[in-house]
Amino acid sequence: KAGVTQTPRYLIKTRGQQVTLSCSPISGHRSVSWYQQTPGQGLQFLFEYFSETQRNKGNFPGRFSGRQFSNSRSEMNVSTLELGDSALYLCASRALAGEVTGELFFGEGSRLTVL
Amino acid sequence: DAKTTQPPSMDCAEGRAANLPCNHSTISGNEYVYWYRQIHSQGPQYIIHGLKNNETNEMASLIITEDRKSSTLILPHATLRDTAVYYCIVRVDFGRPGNTPLVFGKGTRLSVIA
């Protein structure tokens, strides 16, 4: 079974640009969450999507947005990039098929550098 | 904010058991204890979770104290590949979307030494 796939793995942007990151969850997983990881702030929750609807949102400005498609694939977008947006962006999926608990399965991440 | 306290770093000799402590003194009755680890430049990896009872799987054992205010993750025979940051997380989880998300603290950096 393929794991969580994130693309691109690495990218470089300049301030003011926008970026779109993609995440394909494990087959059958319907929930996708996004996290940002920086050396200073560690891992921080961005948002969670399920059935194409945002179900939970972290404390990030409106420049950070996401969406989920009918096949559960998800994208996140960051507009008007700032230097502080340089980070590893991690996507995680989980199965919610009647389980009491469902651990998160993370992808390898997309490393964004803003110059 | 993370609701757990972990030592920032630990060393362990290869082949010995690694015992990673975690304090969660404000844990609620319906909160689970989760452990994840993150090997350098990779995404976090789920290890184990528990509610009240001790748990064991192919990767590790989780020992939760009777009052549930602390726990210990045990890697029985640590290898160099176990060098990673280990995160202890507590959260309610009913397997539904929109649950309180996993809140990662700073974790414990475990270094396994040959």
Side-chain angles (χ1 to χ4, degrees):
Chain A
K1 202 175 197 181
V4 177
T5 303
Q6 292 189 244
T7 56
R9 290 291 314 278
Y10 303 91
L11 66 166
I12 300 173
K13 294 284 188 179
T14 58
R15 280 180 297 176
Q17 288 187 310
Q18 65 92 26
V19 66
T20 299
L21 309 177
S22 178
C23 172
S24 293
I26 292 173
S27 177
H29 285 193
R30 296 170 61 193
S31 169
V32 173
S33 298
W34 288 89
Y35 284 79
Q36 180 198 65
Q37 186 171 30
T38 60
Q41 299 297 319
L43 275 156
Q44 293 188 288
F45 173 75
L46 279 158
F47 25 66
E48 179 187 9
Y49 285 86
F50 179 82
S51 292
E52 303 176 62
T53 302
Q54 187 179 90
R55 301 302 181 111
N56 215 335
K57 189 176 189 304
N59 188 26
F60 278 82
R63 300 185 297 107
F64 292 81
S65 63
R67 59 177 176 169
Q68 186 180 35
F69 302 95
S70 58
N71 62 358
S72 295
R73 190 177 70 86
S74 176
E75 289 181 348
M76 67 162 285
N77 183 276
V78 187
S79 62
T80 319
L81 284 166
E82 302 176 359
L83 295 178
D85 296 333
S86 294
L88 181 66
Y89 290 88
L90 290 157
C91 168
S93 72
R94 59 186 287 184
L96 294 170
E99 301 166 19
V100 174
T101 61
E103 61 265 28
L104 285 179
F105 294 85
F106 283 83
E108 296 294 311
S110 293
R111 184 165 297 281
L112 170 66
T113 301
V114 181
L115 301 176
Chain B
D1 290 334
K3 301 196 306 187
T4 62
T5 303
Q6 300 177 252
S9 64
M10 292 181 63
D11 292 338
C12 178
E14 188 178 21
R16 305 296 294 270
N19 297 286
L20 292 93
C22 179
N23 284 322
H24 31 79
S25 59
T26 62
I27 192 170
S28 302
N30 59 354
E31 286 184 312
Y32 288 76
V33 179
Y34 281 83
W35 283 84
Y36 281 75
R37 74 179 182 183
Q38 187 173 24
I39 296 170
H40 183 62
S41 297
Q42 297 182 17
Q45 176 190 24
Y46 166 82
I47 301 173
I48 198 168
H49 72 275
L51 184 62
K52 296 180 184 177
N53 301 321
N54 299 335
E55 302 287 345
T56 295
N57 63 20
E58 64 279 4
M59 287 183 67
S61 294
L62 173 60
I63 309 297
I64 303 175
T65 58
E66 193 168 341
D67 64 6
R68 303 210 323 123
K69 292 185 177 183
S70 67
S71 61
T72 301
L73 178 75
I74 301 173
L75 306 179
H77 305 287
T79 71
L80 298 179
R81 288 184 293 181
D82 292 321
T83 293
V85 177
Y86 287 77
Y87 298 97
C88 170
I89 303 162
V90 296
R91 62 168 284 184
V92 175
D93 196 336
F94 301 112
R96 291 197 299 264
N99 284 327
T100 303
L102 286 176
V103 177
F104 289 82
K106 297 193 181 300
T108 296
R109 183 173 298 277
L110 175 68
S111 298
V112 180
I113 303 166

